[in-house]
């Protein structure tokens, strides 16, 4: 699926539940598979029928795609027109503002959400209902399929074309769901097939994959390997773990942490210089969060939390970000600290960060040592390489402070260097504007470091797995 | 400020007739629509004679009146309901009021116990009582709030007017029903099926209530008025559509053991009435959805109330039985005007049985020609006996319920024509 490149790219997302219900007279494998296939076939007919309705969320627009009935809009109008009808919370009901969201880079990430519904009414006369009762020891299959299709559309595509593509995607998804259901069937245990969207690098773009719900990532490696082959992706980094699923622009994270605050910054331009940044998504952890008052002593812990959040959100680990206590407990368990360490307000350094990453996450890290801060200016090549090959956030500790380095801007010819710093000493609220304007996340020069103190850097290594 | 009931003129005549005809107290039901803005009474019906009553009908039998109300309530399409009770009696006003109070609470309790839809906050909970003295023809109208067990009688206005039955807007639709519910493994055949079905109907009722209602193809904002209500005395009918999404199943086990299953499949015609004076879209939607739920629940209930054939214990063989739910037949309240009442016709009944029931329950003199039986078709059903568990060619859904009389006739005609054609060919073959 090609990523639409134009300014007016729109994601059309169709979601809705479909009932998967059938009586299973026999639970031997073959008859059960046949019964399930028949039920899926009935569902495919249902979505091709005239009772299938697409409702644009938060708007009066309704579309019957299989009988070309369009309410409030005309089929040949461009899909962009639908934005006029959508009402968001912060909009007067009579306003006709566009709900496009643009980020700083100018690429629109507009999304139109549609709901899948079925029309229960039909032209009369009605054939009065029949009650059928079957008495037989059997089984009943009863599940809800969480249909979720997303297609990229050029904003100037007609509504009719966009709907056709959505409906094709819907039918294809039912086929894939049938395949996954039958593949993962063991006796009478069935897994509900669940679609997930992944944003792959060009030229693949947004891709939807159906996985069996409840099966952990580690049992799905074979499927992921096949997908990596199919989309010609490198086999040393994950693209299809559940944590890698695409986060749609209109779905805010519910845990309250800021994600990637550095993306709103303007990056420095150096003569012959390039910018090397952390790859992927991390959360900003800092003083005073989680009702933990660690002001003055917790900076390295927070930097470690930011690093752990990166590994979780890239799908390398399933465990959540550890608390201060859990970090301290881990150090006791590896024999690095005494039991009395737990609950204390003692600082940790990059060696401890390395140990915890290894013990709790199974992640190895390289340690880089500089005897004085002024030497950091010469580490441009190493840091640039790190961000290119590993792309993980770096914890740096020295003097009396710890920070997180998210990237470097470095010129090979002039040697000029800047560091993108995420500062864990911030004590305020999750206000992106304050954090970026006041420099809590910002680009710093070589004079940011204490020129005479020594520093240790912990550079976490990305596991070579999918 | 008490309620004010606007009553169809004919009701006055009916009550007068009852005054002069009968001795002893006469009770009956008042039928109409009560909304926050207005209260209308469109018809009344006396309680039928109870042949088995101990004292030959001299005293008021609360259970009998309530049972009558329950059955009448099933015959009222959306928007119409039993609003209250009347009594024609010479007794003291105070005693009568007590009797009326008991009747009204009993009626309301029985009717609401069958309801599957949840009452809304803006529903009117006042019920009306009318006491007519046959000698003086004096009428006393009071209301009680049936939500409050301690409520006292409040005075209300009772005004006769002509044409109350004419200015109504009809909202209707034809809706598919498709329910499937598993039966538990250990079954007492009929009883468990009743409970399972009722539970499933409750879930289905919520699905209907959540559904998106379209009027003339559009989803109207809640406070908007229906355009059809503008013209007076012109029959206004609006067709509605309903869009639904299934419930999300959250059971951990997707495949469950069961002792069989019950399904209800087909379609129903649903109808609701709103008074034409500024009819609101929100009210139309509420009344139509309630009618949809009621008509299906009533029919299932009626089928379950039919005497069941005793089935032998299931010896591991698959037993399938199909029964037709009765179809809905409408009868106009007055020869002109849009209002109608309805009843349900089983496949073994004729239209004459319908007219008998309209007479008995609603004291309506309807002729067979007046009845509208075109909205629903009774499907034919195949009587099947217990079958051996052979390798089925297809699942039991393949039984074809959609044959109807017309196809039967067409087939017969086609066969006849073929025979004729064959004979012509034969005869002309030299």
């Amino acid at each position: 699926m090609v990523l639409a490149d134009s300014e007016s790219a729109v994601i059309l997302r169709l979601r809705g539940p479909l009932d998967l219900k059938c009586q299973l007279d026999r639970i031997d494998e073959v008859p059960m598979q046949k019964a399930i296939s028949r039920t899926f076939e009935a569902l495919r007919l249902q979505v091709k029928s005239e009772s299938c309705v697409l409702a644009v969320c938060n708007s009066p627009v309704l579309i019957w795609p299989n009988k070309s009935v369009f309410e409030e809009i005309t089929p040949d109008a461009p899909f962009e027109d639908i934005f006029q009808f959508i009402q968001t919370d912060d909009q007067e009901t009579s306003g006709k503002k566009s709900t496009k969201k643009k980020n700083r880079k100018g690429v629109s990430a507009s999304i139109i959400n549609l709901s899948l519904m079925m029309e229960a009414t039909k032209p009369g006369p009605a054939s009065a209902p029949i009650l059928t009762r079957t008495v037989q020891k059997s089984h009943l299959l009863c599940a809800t399929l969480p249909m979720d299709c997303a297609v990229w559309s050029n904003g100037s595509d007609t509504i009719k074309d966009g709907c056709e593509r959505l409906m094709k995607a819907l039918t294809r998804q039912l086929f894939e769901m049938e395949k996954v259901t039958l593949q993962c069937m063991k006796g009478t245990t069935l897994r509900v097939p669940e679609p997930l969207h992944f944003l792959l690098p060009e030229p693949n773009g947004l891709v939807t994959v159906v996985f069996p719900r409840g099966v952990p990532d580690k049992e799905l490696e074979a499927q992921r390997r096949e997908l990596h082959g199919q989309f010609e992706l490198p086999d040393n980094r994950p693209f299809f773990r559940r944590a890698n699923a695409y986060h749609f622009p209109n779905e805010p994270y519910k845990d309250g942490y800021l994600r990637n605050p550095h993306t709103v910054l303007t990056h420095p331009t150096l003569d012959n210089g390039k910018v090397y940044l952390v790859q992927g998504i991390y959360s900003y952890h800092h003083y005073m969060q989680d009702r933990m008052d660690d002001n003055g002593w917790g900076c390295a812990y927070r930097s470690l939390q930011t690093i752990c959040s990166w590994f979780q959100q890239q799908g390398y680990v399933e465990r959540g970000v550890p608390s201060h206590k859990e970090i301290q407990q881990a150090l006791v368990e590896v024999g690095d600290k005494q039991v009395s360490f737990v609950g204390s307000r003692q600082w940790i350094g990059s060696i401890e960060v390395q140990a915890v990453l290894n013990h709790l996450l199974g992640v190895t890290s390289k340690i880089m040592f500089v005897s004085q801060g002024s030497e950091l200016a010469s580490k441009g090549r190493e840091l640039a390489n790190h961000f290119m090959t590993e792309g993980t956030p770096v914890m740096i500790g020295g003097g009396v402070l710890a920070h997180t380095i998210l990237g470097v801007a470095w010129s090979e010819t002039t040697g000029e260097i800047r560091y993108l710093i995420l500062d864990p000493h911030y004590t305020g609220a999750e206000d992106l504007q304050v954090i970026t304007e006041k420099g809590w996340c910002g680009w710093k020069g070589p004079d940011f470091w204490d020129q005479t103190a020594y520093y240790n850097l912990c550079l976490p290594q990305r596991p070579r797995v999918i | 400020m008490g309620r004010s009931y606007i009553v169809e003129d004919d009701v006055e005549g009916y009550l007068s007739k009852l005054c002069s005809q009968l001795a002893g107290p006469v009770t009956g039901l008042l039928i109409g629509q009560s909304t926050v803005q207005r209260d209308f009474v469109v018809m009344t019906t006396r309680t039928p004679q109870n042949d088995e009553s101990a004292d030959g009908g001299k005293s008021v039998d609360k259970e009998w009146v309530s049972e009558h109300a329950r059955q009448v309530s099933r015959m009222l399409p959306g928007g119409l309901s039993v609003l209250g009770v009347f009594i024609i009696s010479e007794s003291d006003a105070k005693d009568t009021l007590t009797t009326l109070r008991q009747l009204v609470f009993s009626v309301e309790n029985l009717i609401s116990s069958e309801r599957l839809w949840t009452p809304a906050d803006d529903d009117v909970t006042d019920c009306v009582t009318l006491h007519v003295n046959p000698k003086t023809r004096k009428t006393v109208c009071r209301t009680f709030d049936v939500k409050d067990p301690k409520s006292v009688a409040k005075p209300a206005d009772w005004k006769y007017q002509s044409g109350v039955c004419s200015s109504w807007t009809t909202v209707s639709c034809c809706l598919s029903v498709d329910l499937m519910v598993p039966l538990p493994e250990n079954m007492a055949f009929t009883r468990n099926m009743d409970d399972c079905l009722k539970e499933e109907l409750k879930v289905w009722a919520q699905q209907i209530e959540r559904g998106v209602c379209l009027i003339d193809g559009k989803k109207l904002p809640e406070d908007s008025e229906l355009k059809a209500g503008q013209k007076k005395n012109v029959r206004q009918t609006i067709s509605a559509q309903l869009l639904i999404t299934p419930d999300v199943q959250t059971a951990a086990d997707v495949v469950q053991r069961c002792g069989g299953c019950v399904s209800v499949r087909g379609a129903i015609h649903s109808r609701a009435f709103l008074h034409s004076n500024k009819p609101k879209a929100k009210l139309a939607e509420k009344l139509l959805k309630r009618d949809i739920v009621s008509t299906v629940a009533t029919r299932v209930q009626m089928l379950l109330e039919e005497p069941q054939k005793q089935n032998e214990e299931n010896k591991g063989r698959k037993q399938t039985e199909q029964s037709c739910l009765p179809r809905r037949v409408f009868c106009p309240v007055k020869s002109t005007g849009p209002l109608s009442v309805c009843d349900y016709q089983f496949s073994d009944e004729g239209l004459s049985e319908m007219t008998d029931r309209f007479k008995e329950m609603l004291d309506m003199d309807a002729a067979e020609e007046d009845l509208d039986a075109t909205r629903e078709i009774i499907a034919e059903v195949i009587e099947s006996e217990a079958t051996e568990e052979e390798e089925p060619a297809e699942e039991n859904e393949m039984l074809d319920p959609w044959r109807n009389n017309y196809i039967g006739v067409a087939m017969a005609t086609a066969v006849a024509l073929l025979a004729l054609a064959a004979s012509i060919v034969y005869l002309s073959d030299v």
Side-chain angles (χ1 to χ4, degrees), chain A residues 219-366:
Chain A
E219 288 175 35
L220 294 170
E221 195 182 319
Q223 280 91 326
R224 289 201 297 278
R225 206 162 281 287
E226 202 187 308
L227 287 164
H228 275 242
Q230 186 187 339
F231 291 102
E232 292 175 9
L233 295 166
D235 61 356
N236 60 2
R237 47 182 294 182
F239 285 96
F240 293 107
R241 295 195 178 203
R242 286 205 169 81
N244 300 126
Y246 179 57
H247 227 89
F248 285 88
N250 63 335
E251 286 176 340
Y253 289 93
K254 292 199 187 87
D255 57 14
Y257 299 107
L258 287 180
R259 274 19 186 218
N260 292 25
H262 71 272
T263 49
V264 303
L265 300 172
T266 321
H267 302 313
T269 43
L270 309 172
D271 270 346
N272 264 328
K274 272 169 64 169
V275 171
Y276 306 84
L277 293 177
V278 64
Q279 299 171 33
I281 304 177
Y282 62 87
S283 314
Y284 181 19
H285 290 264
H286 58 79
Y287 278 172
M288 310 303 284
Q289 276 177 344
D290 319 315
R291 292 177 217 199
M292 178 63 163
D293 181 351
D294 57 335
N295 195 347
W297 62 273
C299 45
Y301 293 80
R302 297 295 183 181
S303 178
L304 173 53
Q305 285 179 334
T306 297
I307 294 173
C308 291
S309 80
W310 186 93
F311 280 95
Q312 183 197 21
Q313 290 178 85
Q314 264 48 250
Y316 289 104
V317 297
E318 278 167 19
R319 71 155 297 146
V321 169
S323 64
H324 289 58
K325 270 232 170 78
E326 286 168 326
I327 291 168
Q328 290 171 337
Q329 187 61 41
L331 286 167
V332 170
E333 278 168 25
V334 297
D336 190 83
K337 298 281 183 242
Q338 304 284 348
V339 172
S340 54
F341 180 62
V342 179
S344 71
R345 299 156 119 217
Q346 289 183 45
W347 298 350
I348 55 175
S350 28
I351 304 300
E352 285 84 359
V353 168
Q354 179 190 41
V356 174
L357 286 176
N358 184 46
H359 184 66
L360 290 183
L361 271 57
V363 165
T364 52
S365 319
K366 288 202 180 124

Side-chain angles (χ1 to χ4, degrees), chain A residues 57-291:
Chain A
C57 298
N58 300 320
S59 86
V61 177
L62 294 167
I63 301 169
W64 280 254
N66 301 314
K67 56 179 185 178
S68 290
V69 171
F70 299 83
E71 199 52 55
E72 300 287 340
I73 37 118
T74 52
D76 296 322
F79 236 107
E80 289 177 311
D81 280 6
I82 289 193
F83 283 114
Q84 294 169 26
F85 293 96
I86 298 179
Q87 291 173 357
T88 52
D89 288 331
D90 46 44
Q91 193 180 323
E92 299 116 63
T93 46
S94 59
K96 282 193 176 180
K97 297 192 200 127
S98 161
T99 55
K100 281 190 189 180
K101 285 189 189 125
K102 286 178 139 99
N103 65 32
R104 283 291 202 84
K105 300 276 196 287
V107 173
S108 352
S110 334
I111 177 159
I112 296 181
N113 284 302
L114 298 101
S115 270
L116 178 66
M117 305 183 93
M118 288 294 157
E119 183 177 342
T121 45
K122 58 181 206 172
S127 189
I130 295 189
L131 188 146
T132 307
R133 54 193 154 210
T134 308
V135 178
Q136 181 195 28
K137 280 210 190 310
S138 54
H139 289 74
L140 184 75
L141 162 62
C142 189
T144 306
L145 298 175
M147 310 308 297
D148 189 346
C149 300
V151 302
W152 278 101
S153 170
N154 195 315
S156 55
D157 269 351
T158 64
I159 291 174
K160 188 156 178 287
D161 287 336
C163 288
E164 266 173 34
R165 286 209 272 137
L166 270 177
M167 297 312 292
K168 279 207 183 93
L170 193 63
T171 306
R172 215 173 24 238
Q173 189 162 98
L174 280 169
F175 271 112
E176 280 170 29
M177 284 181 162
E178 181 183 340
K179 193 168 113 193
V180 170
T181 308
L182 294 177
Q183 268 175 359
C184 299
M185 199 170 91
K186 284 199 190 85
T188 55
T189 310
L190 232 74
R191 300 282 186 180
V192 175
E194 192 176 43
L196 289 170
H197 306 287
F198 299 95
L199 188 57
L200 303 180
E202 295 276 341
N204 291 301
L206 194 65
V207 148
T208 310
V209 179
V210 175
F211 282 121
R213 180 181 287 166
V215 176
D217 278 335
K218 57 180 180 283
E219 288 175 35
L220 294 170
E221 195 182 319
Q223 280 91 326
R224 289 201 297 278
R225 206 162 281 287
E226 202 187 308
L227 287 164
H228 275 242
Q230 186 187 339
F231 291 102
E232 292 175 9
L233 295 166
D235 61 356
N236 60 2
R237 47 182 294 182
F239 285 96
F240 293 107
R241 295 195 178 203
R242 286 205 169 81
N244 300 126
Y246 179 57
H247 227 89
F248 285 88
N250 63 335
E251 286 176 340
Y253 289 93
K254 292 199 187 87
D255 57 14
Y257 299 107
L258 287 180
R259 274 19 186 218
N260 292 25
H262 71 272
T263 49
V264 303
L265 300 172
T266 321
H267 302 313
T269 43
L270 309 172
D271 270 346
N272 264 328
K274 272 169 64 169
V275 171
Y276 306 84
L277 293 177
V278 64
Q279 299 171 33
I281 304 177
Y282 62 87
S283 314
Y284 181 19
H285 290 264
H286 58 79
Y287 278 172
M288 310 303 284
Q289 276 177 344
D290 319 315
R291 292 177 217 199

Side-chain angles (χ1 to χ4, degrees), chain A residues 16-19 21-27 31-32 35 38 51 53 55 60 62 64 67 71-72 116-144 188-192 213, chain B residues 173-176 180 182 185 189 193 212 214 217-218 241-249 254-267 303 308 314 317-323 325 374-377 379 381 389 391 395-396 401-402:
Chain A
L18 283 179
D19 255 346
K21 228 175 189 178
C22 83
Q23 203 188 357
L24 300 167
D25 283 347
R26 292 164 56 177
I27 50 171
M32 197 163 149
R38 264 202 300 272
S51 343
V53 180
L62 294 167
W64 280 254
K67 56 179 185 178
E71 199 52 55
E72 300 287 340
L116 178 66
M117 305 183 93
M118 288 294 157
E119 183 177 342
T121 45
K122 58 181 206 172
S127 189
I130 295 189
L131 188 146
T132 307
R133 54 193 154 210
T134 308
V135 178
Q136 181 195 28
K137 280 210 190 310
S138 54
H139 289 74
L140 184 75
L141 162 62
C142 189
T144 306
T188 55
T189 310
L190 232 74
R191 300 282 186 180
V192 175
R213 180 181 287 166
Chain B
C173 72
C174 169
L175 185 111
S176 297
M180 197 205 293
E185 273 187 276
F189 190 62
M193 188 185 75
V212 173
L214 307 176
K218 291 192 206 309
Q241 290 162 281
L242 196 67
L243 310 178
I244 55 176
T245 47
D247 264 345
V248 177
Q249 306 287 347
V254 165
V255 177
Q256 292 170 322
R257 305 176 79 92
C258 63
C261 86
V262 184
S263 72
V264 177
R265 288 203 180 101
L303 189 62
Q308 299 294 334
N314 176 21
R317 293 180 302 173
K318 177 175 169 179
Q319 281 180 307
T320 305
E321 274 183 34
Q322 290 194 317
S323 331
L325 262 55
T374 60
R375 305 288 168 177
E376 294 186 4
I377 308 167
V381 130
E389 203 188 286
E391 184 70 24
E395 295 295 302
N396 56 0
W402 308 131

